[in-house]
Amino acid sequence: MNFHNTIRPILIIFLLFGQFPLYGVLSRKPIQWHFRWCSFQTVLCLVLVFVGFFLCFIEYDRLIVIGVNADNIIGPLFYVDVIIILLLLLRVATRWSSLVPKWEQVEAMEVMQYNARQQDTRSTRRIRAVALLLLVMGFAEHMFSVGKTVYARVDEGRICNWDYSNLPEYYALRTYGFFFRHVPYNFPAFIFLEYANTALTMAWTVQDVLIIMISDSIAGYFGRLNARIKFYSTVQVIAREKFWSEIHSDYVMVCELLEHVMSICSPLLVISCGTNLYLICYQLFHLVELQKFFIMTVFTYYSLLVVILRTLLTLHYCSAVHEVARKPLKLCRRLPTTSWCGELERFYTFIRKSSIAISAMGLFRLTKKTMLTMLGSVITYELVMLHFAQRTANQGIVRECSTDEFMFEPKTQSQDN
């Protein structure tokens, strides 16, 4: 098994969006993957963090002018959230080199070589397919959002009789008017703002994909141990004490890897669960609203599908670690009494008394029950959001053809004449 070779193409995609800035990812040797402050990847990541802070301030300033409601509050919340995600991904990248030796130590264990080639091929294809699916769907969602915004701006220009003969310039001035009030419009600046917004939006998907890949890898290690135990249940092993001692030792080593990984990645998991919970509530809130354009209705349903799929896959792969890690209990119970020995008893007791699962900073463990808990939380927070929407129903409403939203008004056709 080689976890790092499996995720290498996905990490390269992460770097395209300025996230998870590991230096040396192009190399096939994980030992050469390390973090550098003085590298293009890190500088790009820090630039995106700075841009996120700037856009967050602009959104806050805009809401001070127009007022806050349940819909537009997502503006500053979005930038605060993605800034935290970028900083946490940066934190994981700075400590990743300490994980590489432990991963290689686990993968070098004899039990991991059991039927390795066939299982590795299937596992690699599956996890890459899941990661690429989520990344493509997340990118398509953002492009869909941009298309929806362009459509709305064009319709606004038609109603307000605004001149937008240069569509990119009109879209830039109307969408990023807060920026181009101080800087003369230029196409490179517009492209950079669009790239920054895209990269910041992809942070939601990147964090979940990283968690999924890590969870699938660790669940696979436990699965190899289970396969070895299952094979033992069908044959007679003479050196029983030695066999179970080695299984116990290998199992503990995988548990130590899980503990070390979670000590670095668990804050990211907390943000992931909180973000996905809020986004589901936000998209459900928009379902009860009448949308002005059909494209907005389609976008709302598609966006809800994406966030639900991403959330379910993240919870599924994380909870699978708990399920696979506890499976030896069932396998050991099937063994006849004559096959039991002191080492098997120690191994069985260790699993039964241990809480082996992916933990979010000790606040909660991700198991199948977590899915039901999050479903209940969605219903609760949706009611809170609807109540907040009723209280702020008359706030944050921008009049049509108003200059309040971005404090910029394009020229009208009559002025040009």
Side-chain angles (χ1 to χ4, degrees), residues 348-404:
Y348 183 85
T349 303
F350 173 80
I351 299 176
R352 185 168 56 86
K353 293 185 177 181
S354 300
S355 299
I356 305 165
I358 288 184
S359 173
M361 298 182 65
L363 299 175
F364 55 89
R365 297 184 305 132
L366 286 180
T367 64
K368 286 186 176 180
K369 294 181 180 179
T370 309
M371 295 186 182
L372 298 177
T373 304
M374 287 195 67
L375 177 61
S377 300
V378 167
I379 297 174
T380 301
Y381 287 111
E382 188 66 25
L383 294 176
V384 173
M385 185 173 288
L386 290 173
H387 177 67
F388 179 64
Q390 292 177 352
R391 290 183 55 188
T392 59
N394 298 321
Q395 301 177 15
I397 300 176
V398 180
R399 295 175 289 105
E400 202 165 48
C401 303
S402 170
T403 61
D404 292 338

Side-chain angles (χ1 to χ4, degrees), residues 149-177 180 185 190 401 408-411:
T149 304
V150 171
Y151 188 88
R153 296 302 183 203
V154 170
D155 185 75
E156 179 187 38
R158 179 184 58 82
I159 294 175
C160 302
N161 198 33
W162 284 338
D163 181 17
Y164 55 92
S165 55
N166 187 339
L167 182 58
E169 181 180 4
Y170 164 68
Y171 172 77
L173 294 177
R174 191 60 182 153
T175 305
Y176 301 107
F180 291 114
Y185 168 77
F190 167 58
C401 303
F408 178 84
E409 181 178 0
K411 295 180 180 180

Side-chain angles (χ1 to χ4, degrees), residues 71-101:
D71 186 21
N72 63 20
I73 195 175
I74 195 175
L77 288 180
F78 161 73
Y79 290 112
V80 170
D81 186 47
V82 295
I83 288 170
I84 293 174
I85 293 173
L86 287 178
L87 292 177
L88 289 177
L89 287 171
L90 186 64
R91 174 179 177 268
V92 174
T94 59
R95 304 186 181 187
W96 193 263
S97 58
S98 66
L99 290 175
V100 174

Side-chain angles (χ1 to χ4, degrees), residues 76-213:
L77 288 180
F78 161 73
Y79 290 112
V80 170
D81 186 47
V82 295
I83 288 170
I84 293 174
I85 293 173
L86 287 178
L87 292 177
L88 289 177
L89 287 171
L90 186 64
R91 174 179 177 268
V92 174
T94 59
R95 304 186 181 187
W96 193 263
S97 58
S98 66
L99 290 175
V100 174
K102 291 186 176 294
W103 240 297
E104 292 185 336
Q105 186 180 14
V106 170
E107 292 174 350
M109 293 189 303
E110 183 179 354
V111 69
M112 297 304 166
Q113 312 307 320
Y114 178 71
N115 197 20
R117 179 175 298 181
Q118 182 179 2
Q119 293 192 24
D120 282 354
T121 302
R122 292 200 302 265
S123 177
T124 299
R125 290 176 179 174
R126 184 188 70 253
I127 200 60
R128 284 180 178 175
V130 171
L132 287 174
L133 174 66
L134 291 179
L135 289 171
V136 169
M137 292 186 70
F139 183 75
E141 179 193 15
H142 179 70
M143 291 296 102
F144 207 163
S145 176
V146 172
K148 176 201 68 173
T149 304
V150 171
Y151 188 88
R153 296 302 183 203
V154 170
D155 185 75
E156 179 187 38
R158 179 184 58 82
I159 294 175
C160 302
N161 198 33
W162 284 338
D163 181 17
Y164 55 92
S165 55
N166 187 339
L167 182 58
E169 181 180 4
Y170 164 68
Y171 172 77
L173 294 177
R174 191 60 182 153
T175 305
Y176 301 107
F178 57 84
F179 178 80
F180 291 114
R181 277 188 306 157
H182 307 287
V183 178
Y185 168 77
N186 60 91
F187 190 71
F190 167 58
I191 292 298
F192 175 75
L193 287 173
E194 280 297 307
Y195 166 77
N197 255 324
T198 302
L200 292 172
T201 304
M202 289 299 294
W204 286 339
T205 305
V206 167
Q207 69 167 351
D208 287 339
V209 169
L210 181 63
I211 292 170
I212 287 173
M213 293 190 301

Side-chain angles (χ1 to χ4, degrees), residues 286-385:
H286 278 275
L287 288 182
V288 300
E289 292 184 334
L290 293 176
Q291 301 292 345
K292 183 177 180 181
F293 305 113
F294 176 73
I295 188 175
M296 292 184 177
T297 302
V298 176
F299 169 75
T300 300
Y301 278 97
Y302 177 74
S303 184
L304 178 62
L305 171 66
V306 171
V307 68
I308 289 178
L309 177 63
R310 195 173 66 222
T311 303
L312 290 179
L313 285 174
T314 303
L315 292 177
H316 167 72
Y317 278 94
C318 289
S319 62
V321 174
H322 175 72
E323 295 296 319
V324 179
R326 302 283 292 181
K327 191 175 180 181
L329 293 177
K330 297 180 180 179
L331 297 175
C332 290
R333 292 191 192 107
R334 297 174 184 175
L335 295 174
T337 306
T338 55
S339 298
W340 278 71
C341 60
E343 287 295 335
L344 173 55
E345 185 68 33
R346 288 181 60 240
F347 177 57
Y348 183 85
T349 303
F350 173 80
I351 299 176
R352 185 168 56 86
K353 293 185 177 181
S354 300
S355 299
I356 305 165
I358 288 184
S359 173
M361 298 182 65
L363 299 175
F364 55 89
R365 297 184 305 132
L366 286 180
T367 64
K368 286 186 176 180
K369 294 181 180 179
T370 309
M371 295 186 182
L372 298 177
T373 304
M374 287 195 67
L375 177 61
S377 300
V378 167
I379 297 174
T380 301
Y381 287 111
E382 188 66 25
L383 294 176
V384 173
M385 185 173 288

